[in-house]
Amino acid sequence: MLKKVIKINGASRTLIIDPESSLSDVLRKQLHLTGTKVGCGIGECGACNVIMNGKVVKSCITRMKRVPDEAEIITIEGIGTQDDLHHIQFAWMIHGAAQCGFCTPGFIVSAKALLDENNNPTREDVRNWFQKNRNVCRCTGYKPLIDAVMEAARLIRGEVTREQLWFKLPVGATLLGTDAVRPSACAKVTGTWDFGADLGLKLPENTLHIKLVQATVSHANIISIDTAEAEKMPGVYKVITYKDVKGTNRINGLAFPSNKGDGLERPILNDKKIFQFGDAIAMVLADTPTHAENAAKKVVVEIEELPAYMSAPAAMAEDAIEIHPGTPNIYFETRVVKGEDTAPLMEELSYVVEDDSYVGRQPHLPIEPDVGFAYFNEDGQLVIHSKSVALHFHALMIADGIGLPVDKISIVQNPTGGTFGYKFSPTIEALLGVAAIETGKPVYLEFNMFQQITYTGKRSPFYMHIKMGADADGKIKAMETDWSVDHGPYSEFGDLLTTRGSQFMGAGYRIDNIRGEGRTVATNHAWGSAFRGYGSPQSLFASEVLIDELAEKIGMDPLEFRYKNVYRQGDTTPNGCEPDVIVLPQLLDMIRPYYKEAKETANEKNKTSTDKKYGAGISLLIYGCGLDGPDTSEAWAELTEDGVIVGNSWEDHGQGADMGTLAISYETLRKAGFTPENIKLVLNDMNFTPNSGPAGGSRSNVLTGNATRVACENLLEGMKKPDGTYRSYHEMIAEEKPVKYYGKWTAPCTACDVETSQGNPFPTYMYGVLLAEVEVDINTGKAKVEKLVIASDIGVIINKLVVDGQILGGLAQGIGLALTEDFEDLKKHTTLTGCGIPQVRDVTDDITLLYLETPRPLGPYGASGAGEMPLSAPHAAIVNAIYDACGVRITHLPALPEKILAGLKKLNK
Ligand code: MCN
Ligand code: FES
Ligand code: FES
């Protein structure tokens, strides 16, 4: 042990510390300064940045023995408080720079050190600074962060005042489309928004720490699990295996009726078999995390290794054994039957192209690793706190498995540091449930980044083949599609995902005749979970790249070819229903001038440039809002003495559920004179908030927005007096009128038939057209996105800061998907950097956002969704631009330098 005196946030503190412990542990665990976050834990993300003696340091890798005596350390808590914000924190709020907020303290601390040195930086200086200090953000696309630092610098220099910058709402005016700051922003910028690991440090003393014994192979029979040695280790309370699980020990994957499996193949703790790397085989519960970790190493698992099928083609091979005995590896099939038979048509059409394509296992890479805890409350109910973005679904999915009736389970969403969809599936909820049931004590489980990356769901790779035919006039007449979805070993939502192939291959264009067939395949690579865009990034990549190939064959410009074929009034989607609104021609019109300029600029540059080649490409971006068919959401609104409390389970990944709920409630309630300050939100606690469905499928703004609107309308209806004015709270009580009103909204939709894929699955869609400009280094094959322009129509904008952030963040993930991101190699793709997360230098600062706001007939106040559209096909525009630059057509992502280089070599032969 070491005694050290350190000055923390201006105060001298005497600490007794383990010299080997990290500064972040001492700050968080000994000093309870939980504003400093730990993401990667290995010096890659900057979430833990603090200032030490004027320099930014990564506290997760700074050993206490290296911290000088009397060191002056500044953490986020020392920069400003909720009552006394620093200019940087203020600027962060007004630029919507904190989405999930997990990276926020680390960035703000880093920015403080920069502005202390130089209060007049250029944007490039700021970008270089964040690059140098390895600040990584997965939500924002970085641009708002740079905007915030530039604004803070202006404030520091006294060129503007906060008063001038703060959004002010004229009395009674609408909040829609404004830059109003989300309610959680202040807590996020001050480091007081307690994420799961922060709350974990504040749990009662008798809390047990869980560590997992995980599979180190991808496919095996389990012969025995020996826990004897582990149970004798210091501090161990219990070692839990499948034998201890009171229920069926299976997660319910909510399989479609036509799924050949029962959806019950995912064990909570593996019993007979290991299905993938990282599978949880046992849980060790101990008094400290270290004791649990040490004991976990002593559990002996005897296995018989089986051949691992690490891709759909491998698992579909004739000689492949069934991964789940009794269920074929191809366990779900769907078809598209629209219009006439396509085979004879293809024979006759003037222009026919076909190609294979592949979009891989994109990792979600939130900066906050998975975390949660559970306990029994005073009513004997099991309460699980996690990052769940599907509270009611998850309770249903784990109830039988852990052996409790669903009404004895309550899930609460902790403040969440991004999920991008991986939390649409339960991860640690059932493990926590089993541990709490087995011990009767509070239990806590956190993943490190390695576990987050290797053992949470991933985007499911699609192997696709599309054939498209156009007539002599350049009108698309027929399409044939075939796709195989590698969904990993667990079926949950794999059938639903596979139907996305039928919905989004060829989406955006009038194609009257389609035949297609898709299938879901069990493999031993990472289990498939939802990822932003959910099947549309795979499907649209295939069709949007092929559209360029078809345009080339016809000899038409890709933009004009799209213009000729996109939905017009009366046209139908691949599912045979009319789109909600017709906006693609207008969006292409908006992009056209930028596109022409981009092409000219690229041509000019290419005339003189030899080592670098430049190009421009476009793609359509489309996604539907909702779970297919008559999707439903619920909310409530309660009148109180002080105003209105609005309750719903609009789970917040970081996208801005709080802002959406507030703006939509206020838009309804302002008729009765309520102000945003009168509206209190109660979100995401099953004991208080109703079933609003999951925050997936970009459905919440439409579904829960509508349910919230209806709840508030019902309240106003209840408050209405015969003369049209509204009763006060006291009048309502005096008249014995109810003060709490429920709202429910169901989409008037029909799910697609799995045999034809015909139906009307979504109440609204989101549309975009993206222009990407790239530079390709023809010596290295490295492609760089230089500029993006996106024209979006997501209906009426509820909050401008939020939607700008959604679009910028989604595009940044699209750059990653196009060029670097993957989770394939279990040795290499195990860190944020190894997985190719875009850093600030990888995401262009030159992004233009254009909007068309076409009101949606079924959206709340005309709004559609926003979250997934920007990631539906940006990678197609980037890949189309790479082709335009250098003639190499990448059809299998990511477009790594070696692939481009190989393509260039082939061209030069
Ligand atoms: N919005 C708006 N105006 C519109 C449309 C939407 O202001 N016309 C706002 C909404 O109020 C909401 C946000 O945009 O705050 C996204 O709305 P919506 O598209 O309905 O999506 P959900 O609220 O259902 O959120 C989920 C969606 C999905 S599916 C993923 S995955 C996702 C995403 O949003 N993951 C995210 N955005 C994310 N953003 C962050 N920072 N982190 C994630 O993990
Ligand atoms: Fe320290 Fe990532 S750099 S947590
Ligand atoms: Fe940066 Fe979420 S706001 S990681």
Side-chain angles (χ1 to χ4, degrees), residues 583-883:
V583 298
L584 286 167
Q586 300 91 306
L587 294 177
L588 283 162
D589 283 337
M590 285 165 80
I591 285 288
R592 188 179 284 110
Y594 293 90
Y595 174 74
K596 284 192 168 156
E597 194 188 321
K599 293 286 274 189
E600 279 160 25
T601 313
N603 284 343
E604 271 315 302
K605 285 198 207 161
N606 286 338
K607 279 183 195 157
T608 50
S609 172
T610 47
D611 291 344
K612 309 265 171 74
K613 289 292 167 195
Y614 299 86
I618 60 165
S619 63
L620 303 187
L621 285 71
I622 304 182
Y623 197 53
C625 301
L627 304 179
D628 312 47
D631 188 10
T632 288
S633 179
E634 294 172 35
W636 52 254
E638 181 178 355
L639 184 66
T640 66
E641 249 185 303
D642 305 321
V644 177
I645 307 179
V646 177
N648 65 35
S649 303
W650 184 340
E651 297 91 350
D652 206 338
H653 307 239
Q655 82 277 24
D658 55 345
M659 192 66 237
T661 304
L662 178 63
I664 291 171
S665 311
Y666 167 70
E667 188 61 17
T668 318
L669 296 169
R670 72 190 171 102
K671 293 183 195 85
F674 293 103
T675 64
E677 292 74 34
N678 296 138
I679 300 170
K680 189 177 157 203
L681 309 181
V682 174
L683 305 178
N684 299 319
D685 178 336
M686 279 175 65
N687 269 337
F688 300 99
T689 56
N691 187 352
S692 309
S698 300
R699 63 183 285 285
S700 310
N701 202 57
V702 175
L703 270 294
T704 304
N706 268 321
T708 302
R709 171 184 60 78
V710 172
C712 294
E713 282 170 0
N714 289 344
L715 169 63
L716 291 190
E717 209 39 50
M719 290 169 65
K720 215 177 220 164
K721 292 182 186 171
D723 66 359
T725 61
Y726 295 94
R727 292 179 183 86
S728 67
Y729 172 74
H730 292 290
E731 286 170 328
M732 297 282 278
I733 298 294
E735 291 180 40
E736 294 185 355
K737 290 209 161 271
V739 288
K740 188 168 181 179
Y741 291 79
Y742 282 84
K744 184 171 179 172
W745 192 81
T746 302
C749 295
T750 44
C752 295
D753 179 304
V754 291
E755 285 306 322
T756 63
S757 297
Q758 301 304 283
N760 184 10
F762 306 112
T764 70
Y765 289 80
M766 308 164 278
Y767 302 92
V769 177
L770 179 73
L771 162 66
E773 298 180 45
V774 303
E775 173 196 274
V776 180
D777 183 324
I778 56 165
N779 298 316
T780 63
K782 192 170 164 41
K784 195 170 126 215
V785 175
E786 293 208 304
K787 185 174 171 176
L788 296 171
V789 184
I790 180 168
S792 310
D793 193 325
I794 52 170
V796 170
I797 292 172
I798 299 295
N799 182 275
K800 183 70 168 35
L801 279 181
V802 167
V803 300
D804 283 357
Q806 285 296 291
I807 291 177
L808 292 166
L811 292 178
Q813 292 180 326
I815 293 174
L817 178 56
L819 301 179
T820 50
E821 290 179 28
D822 210 354
F823 179 68
E824 184 61 34
D825 182 335
L826 289 173
K827 296 220 159 49
K828 181 174 153 208
H829 296 137
T830 56
T831 61
L832 294 173
T833 313
C835 286
I837 195 170
Q839 300 173 21
V840 64
R841 63 162 180 236
D842 303 314
V843 182
T844 174
D845 198 34
D846 190 350
I847 307 181
T848 304
L849 306 180
L850 309 171
Y851 291 99
L852 183 68
E853 288 188 71
T854 308
R856 298 304 198 274
L858 293 172
Y861 301 107
S864 188
E868 289 164 288
M869 180 277 285
L871 186 51
S872 60
H875 41 302
I878 293 166
V879 158
N880 288 339
I882 291 173
Y883 179 78

Side-chain angles (χ1 to χ4, degrees), residues 455-493:
Y455 188 52
T456 58
K458 298 287 167 288
R459 187 184 294 292
S460 301
F462 276 39
Y463 294 79
M464 299 164 283
H465 183 87
I466 310 191
K467 187 171 180 180
M468 253 188 220
D471 66 14
D473 287 342
K475 283 267 192 189
I476 307 170
K477 291 290 171 192
M479 179 171 76
E480 291 172 358
T481 57
D482 183 277
W483 68 104
S484 300
V485 178
D486 169 352
H487 199 58
Y490 305 130
S491 74
E492 60 207 46
F493 312 119

Side-chain angles (χ1 to χ4, degrees), residues 343-666:
L345 279 171
M346 291 290 186
E347 296 287 311
E348 288 162 16
L349 287 166
S350 310
Y351 303 102
V352 176
V353 290
E354 60 187 306
D355 213 341
D356 288 322
S357 46
Y358 172 79
V359 176
R361 204 172 281 101
Q362 188 185 17
H364 300 70
L365 310 178
I367 310 299
E368 178 197 37
D370 210 39
V371 59
F373 48 91
Y375 52 91
F376 279 89
N377 69 13
E378 296 299 299
D379 298 327
Q381 196 187 30
L382 173 67
V383 185
I384 302 172
H385 291 239
S386 72
K387 294 179 70 178
S388 171
V389 298
L391 301 180
H392 295 76
F393 259 33
H394 288 176
L396 196 69
M397 292 170 77
I398 67 169
D400 289 346
I402 65 174
L404 273 188
V406 73
D407 61 2
K408 285 270 178 231
I409 303 170
S410 176
I411 307 185
V412 181
Q413 192 196 17
N414 283 330
T416 290
T419 95
F420 310 105
Y422 89 88
K423 279 303 305 172
F424 195 90
S425 291
T427 51
I428 60 178
E429 285 80 1
L431 292 168
L432 288 166
V434 165
I437 292 169
E438 202 41 37
T439 61
K441 291 186 186 297
V443 291
Y444 174 81
L445 172 59
E446 66 179 19
F447 278 6
N448 59 26
M449 190 55 84
F450 177 83
Q451 290 172 304
Q452 168 67 37
I453 291 174
T454 56
Y455 188 52
T456 58
K458 298 287 167 288
R459 187 184 294 292
S460 301
F462 276 39
Y463 294 79
M464 299 164 283
H465 183 87
I466 310 191
K467 187 171 180 180
M468 253 188 220
D471 66 14
D473 287 342
K475 283 267 192 189
I476 307 170
K477 291 290 171 192
M479 179 171 76
E480 291 172 358
T481 57
D482 183 277
W483 68 104
S484 300
V485 178
D486 169 352
H487 199 58
Y490 305 130
S491 74
E492 60 207 46
F493 312 119
D495 36 25
L496 182 68
L497 172 72
T498 306
T499 67
R500 294 289 180 262
S502 66
Q503 294 165 342
F504 294 99
M505 288 185 198
Y509 305 100
R510 173 181 178 159
I511 311 177
D512 292 339
N513 309 295
I514 310 178
R515 290 293 180 275
E517 196 173 306
R519 59 203 67 81
T520 329
V521 186
T523 71
N524 295 114
H525 214 316
W527 47 291
S529 69
F531 192 152
R532 197 173 194 171
Y534 194 57
S536 69
Q538 294 94 319
S539 308
L540 283 168
F541 178 71
S543 57
E544 282 302 303
V545 172
L546 197 67
I547 284 282
D548 263 36
E549 292 184 47
L550 188 51
E552 186 181 34
K553 187 150 194 182
I554 300 172
M556 280 183 79
D557 176 87
L559 185 144
E560 300 310 333
F561 180 60
R562 284 178 172 80
Y563 192 78
K564 193 171 187 115
N565 283 287
V566 290
Y567 300 148
R568 302 294 199 294
Q569 216 63 49
D571 293 347
T572 58
T573 71
N575 308 113
C577 59
E578 287 194 15
D580 54 344
V581 287
I582 299 297
V583 298
L584 286 167
Q586 300 91 306
L587 294 177
L588 283 162
D589 283 337
M590 285 165 80
I591 285 288
R592 188 179 284 110
Y594 293 90
Y595 174 74
K596 284 192 168 156
E597 194 188 321
K599 293 286 274 189
E600 279 160 25
T601 313
N603 284 343
E604 271 315 302
K605 285 198 207 161
N606 286 338
K607 279 183 195 157
T608 50
S609 172
T610 47
D611 291 344
K612 309 265 171 74
K613 289 292 167 195
Y614 299 86
I618 60 165
S619 63
L620 303 187
L621 285 71
I622 304 182
Y623 197 53
C625 301
L627 304 179
D628 312 47
D631 188 10
T632 288
S633 179
E634 294 172 35
W636 52 254
E638 181 178 355
L639 184 66
T640 66
E641 249 185 303
D642 305 321
V644 177
I645 307 179
V646 177
N648 65 35
S649 303
W650 184 340
E651 297 91 350
D652 206 338
H653 307 239
Q655 82 277 24
D658 55 345
M659 192 66 237
T661 304
L662 178 63
I664 291 171
S665 311
Y666 167 70

